[in-house]
Amino acid sequence: MEFISDKLIHLNASKMRGAIRQGVKNRNELLRILSDWMLYNPHEELIVSFVGLRITTSCNVIGKDKCIYCDQKFVTEKLTPYDIMKFFREIYDKGVSRHFYVSISGGEPLLWGKKLYGKDGIIHYLARQGTYVNMNSDLQLVNTDNCVDIIQSGLSSLRFSFDISDELLFNEITTPGAFKRTLFSVFLLSKMKEISKTYMPKMFVNVVATKVNVNHYEELTDFLIDFCKTDICTCNPDLISSLCNMHLIPLGGERNKWLLPSYEDWEHFLNITIPRCKEKWDSFFSEMRTENTMFDFFSFANPLDSDMYKGSREEVLGDFVNQNYARHTNRFKCYTAPTQLYILPNGDAYPCTHHAENQTHSIGNIFSDSFAKLIQKNLSYLNCLPNEFCEKCPLNAVKLNVKMQERLLRYIDEILNCSGILESTEASPSMPDS
């Protein structure tokens, strides 16, 4: 994501240097100047970092309406593969660097079948352009008829839901038989990748944190380590490194408050469970004589051990209980907002995943506007994020913006040092009150 901070520096470095010459020394004020997107013209030089693509809100679960933590609102499907490819073609025609990230989700995206993963499907089209394509799935529709197509589609990564290692609880969270169907799909895809002599798509585990599973995470770690010791993994070290890089997804949705982990649950999870699990992964990787890359900044590390938060641990844990994952972060603003979109099945576009989940402040529709036009028309709004809708922003998005902010602050310090006027100020700016 360095290209985003590079663009901001290109846009605003001259203005920031002028402010320094006029006597402005405060890092917060200089960061405010440096991170301003209002000089950005997406029609002249479009920058794209991320496009979220929810192609359906329909699901494949059997025997119940949905997974217990699903709070997704139904959206009528209007988009076709042609509409989606046309939208991206306009991006590519702008000369955009094609190495941006597209994440396809649902509902269950595999319900689209060959329209998604066939030779003329969306994934194949995007992958041919050099775009990184991820898909989120529960894997339960993977079978011997479609697994080869999925692997050969050009899919870069596949994030699958696996919240708990207890089979009965897993099936209770999802649907009867889901535990075995998911494991069979992982085995099938892994075996077919081995036969095809490819490491793509990489397979990652998604874990939604609820009161049902947050106290069983250590057991899930034991389960995955044991799985990584099986022949299917020892023959494929890349599979081990991806399986252990789990993605923690904090629970969302107003109707899910009954599923929220308690203060005590979060305290135990962050202070005791994660350190124990880190020790177990360290021991496993030591046996494997390879590096443990799991507990880095962008994976399942303890967020309270980083520089993400400015509040006390007690305040942050209290925020977690209320789903306010971004309230006390050191993030000054959402630096990525003018470079990303999240699109729903009816074509409505939103600034990000969280805005889309809650369907708050649509910025337009891709049937009528291109990516560049959507950004240009809403630049003032995007430039002012975060706002009152952003306190429940997912941890990974917060982490990304905090890292970007650190880079901008390093640049500011370099300029101040060169000017000989670096003044001691607070280590990180404060997020403005919403």
Side-chain angles (χ1 to χ4, degrees), residues 59-70:
C59 196
N60 60 291
V61 293
I62 303 166
K64 60 165 68 175
D65 292 332
K66 56 182 72 174
C67 298
I68 61 171
Y69 51 69
C70 181

Side-chain angles (χ1 to χ4, degrees), residues 200-361:
M200 306 294 274
K202 293 186 176 181
M203 298 170 67
F204 299 93
V205 175
N206 279 345
V207 181
V208 178
T210 69
K211 70 178 184 181
V212 177
N213 69 338
V214 74
N215 291 314
H216 295 278
Y217 177 70
E218 193 170 352
E219 298 160 28
L220 176 60
T221 298
D222 291 334
F223 178 88
L224 288 172
I225 288 176
D226 287 342
F227 183 77
C228 285
K229 292 178 180 178
T230 62
D231 290 343
I232 189 98
C233 286
T234 53
C235 295
N236 187 351
D238 184 72
L239 179 60
I240 294 176
S241 64
S242 59
L243 283 179
C244 73
N245 272 280
M246 284 171 282
H247 179 200
L248 174 65
I249 304 175
L251 184 69
E254 291 302 316
R255 291 179 293 181
N256 281 333
K257 291 186 176 179
W258 67 279
L259 272 173
L260 286 170
S262 66
Y263 183 98
E264 291 73 24
D265 289 336
W266 278 119
E267 187 174 37
H268 187 273
F269 178 74
L270 294 171
N271 295 332
I272 297 175
T273 302
I274 284 186
R276 282 181 182 170
C277 293
K278 183 180 186 308
E279 289 179 7
K280 292 186 177 188
W281 281 114
D282 283 340
S283 175
F284 168 72
F285 279 102
S286 178
E287 290 177 26
M288 296 289 294
R289 297 185 178 179
T290 187
E291 184 181 359
N292 180 2
T293 59
M294 176 184 173
F295 288 88
D296 61 13
F297 191 82
F298 282 99
S299 59
F300 213 97
N302 187 340
L304 301 188
D305 289 340
S306 70
D307 295 325
M308 278 180 59
Y309 291 97
K310 62 188 178 187
S312 67
R313 294 177 77 90
E314 291 74 20
E315 287 175 316
V316 174
L317 287 170
D319 288 338
F320 274 38
V321 172
N322 294 308
Q323 301 175 288
N324 294 323
Y325 308 108
R327 176 173 290 173
H328 282 97
T329 60
N330 282 317
R331 175 186 60 172
F332 171 68
K333 71 185 297 182
C334 185
Y335 303 95
T336 60
T339 71
Q340 63 185 27
L341 285 178
Y342 198 96
I343 302 164
L344 293 186
N346 59 3
D348 284 348
Y350 292 84
C352 64
T353 307
H354 186 64
H355 274 71
E357 291 285 356
N358 295 283
Q359 296 180 29
T360 52
H361 200 97

Side-chain angles (χ1 to χ4, degrees), residues 69 104 108-110 134-142 155 157-164 170 174 178-179 181-187 189-190 193 201-208 220 223-224 227-228 233 239 242-249:
Y69 51 69
I104 300 173
E108 176 49 59
L110 289 177
N134 171 74
M135 179 173 68
N136 295 321
S137 170
D138 65 14
L139 295 189
Q140 293 179 50
L141 293 180
V142 174
L155 188 66
S157 60
L158 180 56
R159 296 186 178 274
F160 65 95
S161 307
F162 204 85
D163 299 312
I164 195 166
F170 189 104
T174 53
F179 183 83
R181 285 196 300 271
T182 303
L183 286 180
F184 174 74
S185 297
V186 172
F187 173 83
L189 288 166
S190 302
K193 283 168 59 179
K202 293 186 176 181
M203 298 170 67
F204 299 93
V205 175
N206 279 345
V207 181
V208 178
L220 176 60
F223 178 88
L224 288 172
F227 183 77
C228 285
C233 286
L239 179 60
S242 59
L243 283 179
C244 73
N245 272 280
M246 284 171 282
H247 179 200
L248 174 65
I249 304 175

Side-chain angles (χ1 to χ4, degrees), residues 17-129:
R17 287 171 183 266
I20 292 173
R21 286 194 294 269
Q22 293 175 11
V24 178
K25 306 175 190 177
N26 184 274
R27 293 167 84 229
N28 291 6
E29 182 57 32
L30 294 174
L31 180 63
R32 191 182 300 276
I33 296 170
L34 190 62
S35 61
D36 186 11
W37 278 102
M38 292 311 295
L39 293 178
Y40 172 52
N41 186 344
H43 293 291
E44 291 182 358
E45 186 184 356
L46 182 63
I47 300 175
V48 182
S49 64
F50 170 81
V51 179
L53 193 57
R54 178 162 297 166
I55 58 176
T56 182
T57 53
S58 297
C59 196
N60 60 291
V61 293
I62 303 166
K64 60 165 68 175
D65 292 332
K66 56 182 72 174
C67 298
I68 61 171
Y69 51 69
C70 181
D71 192 44
Q72 196 173 95
K73 300 173 183 177
F74 175 79
V75 178
T76 302
E77 286 182 35
K78 295 182 180 178
L79 291 176
T80 67
Y82 172 81
D83 300 321
I84 293 169
M85 292 178 196
K86 178 177 179 291
F87 176 76
F88 281 101
R89 193 176 302 118
E90 291 173 343
I91 293 176
Y92 298 135
D93 288 347
K94 285 279 188 182
V96 172
S97 170
R98 301 183 175 206
H99 302 296
F100 56 90
Y101 187 102
V102 174
S103 184
I104 300 173
S105 63
E108 176 49 59
L110 289 177
L111 287 169
W112 267 39
K114 290 186 180 292
K115 292 188 296 181
L116 178 63
Y117 52 72
K119 289 183 179 179
D120 297 318
I122 299 168
I123 295 174
H124 201 263
Y125 171 76
L126 295 172
R128 283 202 314 268
Q129 314 305 316

